């Protein structure tokens, strides 16, 4: 059989440039089969072919860069039976009849300086392995391709006498040492946080994909988030939507794809629950507690305090930087103590505790304040107002709201005895014996206004509005008479009236 190796210039698969084309002809130059050989994300650079003594083919296939070479064993039908890969940079390749492969490269690698110029020469054994040097799995692919053939023209010509070309050969000495400096194989592994805060931009770390032939990042997340980034060494993304995500890196190395995925969670942004300002209604000190939409783990107040609670004794602006272990907030609050806001005097000014006559109830309590005219007395009234009617004795709380604070004061009202001391005899005898000869009011704390006497039938028989307020019973028989006495109470300052009866004895 005759084998012809060439280059297939079209893309065997999207994104891959070129492939090795292998044609098998019989002794009559008739095609038996034709195939192309290629690998994903492994652009064609060189290919070389040899035939082993058992008729099996040995195909060496390469691209540029590190890990560029695939050595494949191919059976008589063009199918790949075995394959291995090698790391040497942009090499010259030559498969041998025994199935081994000779690889020459102008570059070497070490862990200190990476890639450097240095001639290296390697030869595999018959199975494709190199002593004390790593080889790698590969994924060379093949498929049939239809070919069209034109007519083959055969011509014969004769060379009469070859030209003589002088050559000067000088010895050139090389020194070699055994060494196998293989760069680390690329890996799809990467590090990425398990939890991220919304609004943050995050970059992958610990990537080992630099020597891969291709890289692809694929991010899937909430809603319609589905992002693909090709051929980037790292993945950098700013997360605005909270939820569960998966980030996958796929790399292609010697034609093989390998992947690594990492799931993580994006948290909602941390929200401080501190108000922008707060009025403290109590006397200093005040304990300010850092808080947020999720439990916090670290705290840093503006004064360097790292406790969750800051004790405050003066009005002013206070700053907190805090974290829940994933997200960080910075917040500022202005604290005002109520005592620093009451610059024009007391909040509620009440009259001194007062004692009044029962007749004067309700007592109209009129609180005063430089800041408001609205007051509350929950024990006495249902609606706020500027005047509070006090209809019973007791101690009552008067309150108002200033700057968000419920402020209070206390007022006590007591009742005093405001009864006029008035006495009328139950009987009198006008017989000039000097004892109960007249009927008139006696006592204290009153001023007479009017004195009237009625008979038993209701007829008015005596009246006076001037002193003396005395009835002597003259001209009237023994019997019971009704009196009506109006007077001014000098304690309560109220006009009052007494009605009663008296026995006239003659």
């Amino acid at each position: 059989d005759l084998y012809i190796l060439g280059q297939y210039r079209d893309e065997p698969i999207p994104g891959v440039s070129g492939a090795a084309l292998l044609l098998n002809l019989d002794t009559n130059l008739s095609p038996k089969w034709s195939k192309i050989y290629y690998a994903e994300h492994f652009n064609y650079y060189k290919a070389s072919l040899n035939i082993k003594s058992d008729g099996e083919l040995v195909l060496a296939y390469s691209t540029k860069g590190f890990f560029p070479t695939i050595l494949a064993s191919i059976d008589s039908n063009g199918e790949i039976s075995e394959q291995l890969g090698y790391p040497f940079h942009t090499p010259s390749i030559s498969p041998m009849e025994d199935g081994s492969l000779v690889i020459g490269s102008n570059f070497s690698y070490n862990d200190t300086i990476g890639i450097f110029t240095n001639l290296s020469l390697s030869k595999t054994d018959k199975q494709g392995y190199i002593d004390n040097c790593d080889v790698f799995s590969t994924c060379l692919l093949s498929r049939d391709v239809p070919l069209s053939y034109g007519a083959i023209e055969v011509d014969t010509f004769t060379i009469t006498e070859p030209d003589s070309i002088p050559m000067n050969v000088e010895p050139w000495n090389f020194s070699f040492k055994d060494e196998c400096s293989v760069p680390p194989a690329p890996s799809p592994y990467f590090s990425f946080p398990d939890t991220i805060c919304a609004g943050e931009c995050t970059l992958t770390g610990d990537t080992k994909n630099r020597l891969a032939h291709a890289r692809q990042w694929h991010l899937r997340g909430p809603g319609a988030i589905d992002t693909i980034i090709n051929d980037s060494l790292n993945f950098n993304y700013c997360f605005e939507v909270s939820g569960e995500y998966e980030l996958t890196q796929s790399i292609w190395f010697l034609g093989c794809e390998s992947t690594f995925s990492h799931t993580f969670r994006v948290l909602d942004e941390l929200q401080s629950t501190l108000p922008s300002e707060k009025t403290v209604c109590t006397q200093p000190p005040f304990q300010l507690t850092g808080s947020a939409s999720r439990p916090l783990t670290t705290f840093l107040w503006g004064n360097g305090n790292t406790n969750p609670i800051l004790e405050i004794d003066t009005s002013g602006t206070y700053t907190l930087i805090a974290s829940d272990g994933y997200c960080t907030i910075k917040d500022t609050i202005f604290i005002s103590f109520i005592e620093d806001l009451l610059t024009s005097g007391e909040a509620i000014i009440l009259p001194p505790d007062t004692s009044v006559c029962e007749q004067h109830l309700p007592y109209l309590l009129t609180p005063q304040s430089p800041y408001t005219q609205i007051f509350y007395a929950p024990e006495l009234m249902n609606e706020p107002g500027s005047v509070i009617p006090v209809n019973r004795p007791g101690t009552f709380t008067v309150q108002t709201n200033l700057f968000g604070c419920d402020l209070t004061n206390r007022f006590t009202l007591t009742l005093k005895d405001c009864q006029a001391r008035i006495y009328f005899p139950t009987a009198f005898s006008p017989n000039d014996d000097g004892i109960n000869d007249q009927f008139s009011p006696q006592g204290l704390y009153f001023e007479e206004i009017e004195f009237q006497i009625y008979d038993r039938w209701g007829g008015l028989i005596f009246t006076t509005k001037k002193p003396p307020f005395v009835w002597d019973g003259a001209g009237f028989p023994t019997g019971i008479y009704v009196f009506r006495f109006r007077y001014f109470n000098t304690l309560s300052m109220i006009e009052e009236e007494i009605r009663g009866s008296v026995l006239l004895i003659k």
Side-chain angles (χ1 to χ4, degrees):
D1 285 1
L2 175 65
Y3 295 95
I4 300 175
L5 179 66
Q7 181 180 359
Y8 181 81
R9 295 187 179 276
D10 292 338
E11 291 186 349
I13 54 176
V16 174
S17 174
L21 172 63
L22 184 58
L23 173 63
N24 178 213
L25 304 175
D26 61 19
T27 55
N28 296 319
L29 301 183
S30 298
K32 297 175 65 176
W33 50 263
S34 57
K35 290 180 178 289
I36 60 171
Y37 298 87
Y38 58 94
E40 289 188 79
H41 297 283
F42 198 83
N43 292 328
Y44 175 89
Y45 176 54
K46 291 179 181 179
S48 183
L49 184 70
N50 212 329
I51 305 176
K52 297 166 63 175
S53 58
D54 59 4
E56 191 174 46
L57 303 178
V58 182
L59 174 67
Y61 185 97
S62 72
T63 186
K64 294 182 179 181
F66 265 114
F67 299 98
T69 302
I70 299 175
L71 177 65
S73 296
I74 300 174
D75 64 20
S76 59
N77 295 316
E79 302 298 332
I80 300 171
S81 58
E82 295 178 353
Q83 53 180 300
L84 289 172
Y86 307 92
F88 308 103
H89 191 286
T90 314
S92 296
I93 51 176
S94 180
M96 310 304 287
E97 291 182 357
D98 62 355
S100 64
L101 175 66
V102 176
I103 307 170
S105 175
N106 290 322
F107 300 94
S108 292
Y109 172 90
N110 67 39
D111 293 334
T112 304
I113 61 176
I115 302 171
F116 62 98
T117 302
N118 185 54
L119 179 63
S120 64
L121 185 64
S122 302
K123 184 178 184 298
T124 74
D125 60 20
K126 296 178 182 181
Q127 286 74 38
Y129 294 97
I130 303 174
D131 288 343
N132 301 315
C133 203
D134 291 335
V135 294
F136 302 90
S137 299
T138 60
C139 296
L140 188 66
L141 305 173
S142 68
R143 64 179 169 87
D144 295 329
V145 290
L147 297 178
S148 59
Y149 304 93
I152 297 178
E153 295 182 1
V154 179
D155 193 7
T156 303
F157 60 93
T158 302
I159 299 175
T160 58
E161 185 176 344
D163 293 333
S164 178
I165 301 174
M167 297 183 64
N168 183 25
V169 178
E170 295 182 359
W172 191 6
N173 294 323
F174 290 90
S175 62
F176 290 93
K177 64 176 181 178
D178 290 338
E179 183 178 86
C180 182
S181 297
V182 177
S187 165
Y189 173 81
F190 59 90
S191 63
F192 205 72
D194 293 325
T195 307
I196 301 170
C197 189
E200 290 184 354
C201 298
T202 307
L203 178 69
T204 52
D206 300 325
T207 54
K208 298 174 175 62
N209 58 9
R210 183 173 297 276
L211 299 182
H213 298 123
R215 294 153 289 271
Q216 183 183 85
W217 299 92
H218 192 177
L219 177 69
R220 299 178 183 87
I225 295 177
D226 194 334
T227 301
I228 294 177
I229 298 176
N230 290 312
D231 285 327
S232 176
L233 294 177
N234 281 289
F235 182 82
N236 190 13
Y237 193 84
C238 297
F239 295 90
E240 302 297 334
V241 179
S242 62
E244 299 294 326
Y245 287 76
E246 180 183 64
L247 178 61
T248 299
Q249 181 185 203
S250 298
I251 67 165
W252 285 263
F253 162 59
L254 289 167
C256 299
E257 179 184 6
S258 57
T259 63
F260 175 78
S261 296
H262 179 73
T263 57
F264 58 95
R265 182 164 58 110
V266 176
L267 300 176
D268 289 324
E269 289 189 59
L270 194 60
Q271 301 293 330
S272 172
T273 55
L274 291 177
S276 59
E277 58 183 37
K278 177 178 177 61
T279 299
V280 179
C281 303
T282 58
Q283 297 295 314
F286 171 72
Q287 290 187 333
L288 179 60
T289 301
S291 60
S293 52
R294 293 189 296 274
L296 298 172
T297 57
T298 62
F299 304 82
L300 178 61
W301 298 95
N303 64 355
N305 191 311
T306 56
N307 293 318
I309 299 175
L310 181 68
E311 190 168 279
I312 296 172
D313 55 13
T314 58
S315 298
T317 300
Y318 296 86
T319 300
L320 171 64
I321 299 175
S323 172
D324 64 350
Y326 307 107
C327 306
T328 299
I329 55 167
K330 182 177 181 180
D331 201 8
T332 298
I333 181 173
F334 184 79
I335 297 291
S336 300
F337 283 98
I338 187 65
E339 63 181 14
D340 295 328
L341 300 176
L342 301 178
T343 57
S344 299
E346 294 183 35
I348 302 174
I349 303 171
L350 298 178
D353 292 344
T354 302
S355 182
V356 299
C357 301
E358 185 176 6
Q359 295 90 329
H360 289 164
L361 294 179
Y363 173 78
L364 299 181
L365 177 61
T366 306
Q368 301 293 319
S369 174
Y371 316 98
T372 184
Q373 295 181 343
I374 301 300
F375 303 93
Y376 307 82
E379 301 158 296
L380 298 171
M381 56 194 300
N382 295 325
E383 299 293 333
S386 58
V387 177
I388 301 172
V390 183
N391 53 19
R392 66 181 186 275
T395 299
F396 306 99
T397 299
V398 178
Q399 65 184 56
T400 190
N401 189 281
L402 298 176
F403 308 105
C405 295
D406 287 327
L407 304 177
T408 62
N409 202 346
R410 304 279 282 175
F411 174 76
T412 298
L413 181 69
T414 58
L415 295 181
K416 60 184 179 180
D417 185 1
C418 294
Q419 297 294 326
R421 305 294 190 265
I422 302 177
Y423 167 74
F424 282 94
T426 58
F428 75 103
S429 55
N431 54 9
D432 295 326
D433 62 359
I435 301 173
N436 290 332
D437 290 329
Q438 296 178 330
F439 180 64
S440 64
Q442 307 293 320
L444 302 171
Y445 312 127
F446 68 93
E447 295 177 357
E448 298 93 337
I449 297 175
E450 184 179 23
F451 188 36
Q452 295 178 330
I453 304 295
Y454 297 86
D455 61 22
R456 60 190 299 181
W457 296 280
L460 180 64
I461 59 174
F462 174 81
T463 183
T464 182
K465 293 183 179 180
K466 294 179 181 180
F469 290 82
V470 176
W471 182 46
D472 60 6
F476 293 95
T478 296
I480 294 176
Y481 294 83
V482 176
F483 67 89
R484 174 175 174 267
F485 178 59
R486 286 194 308 119
Y487 61 94
F488 182 77
N489 187 325
T490 58
L491 295 177
S492 67
M493 307 302 289
I494 295 176
E495 183 180 306
E496 298 175 344
E497 179 179 292
I498 296 178
R499 294 173 181 262
S501 61
V502 62
L503 175 62
L504 173 61
I505 302 173
K506 286 191 175 181

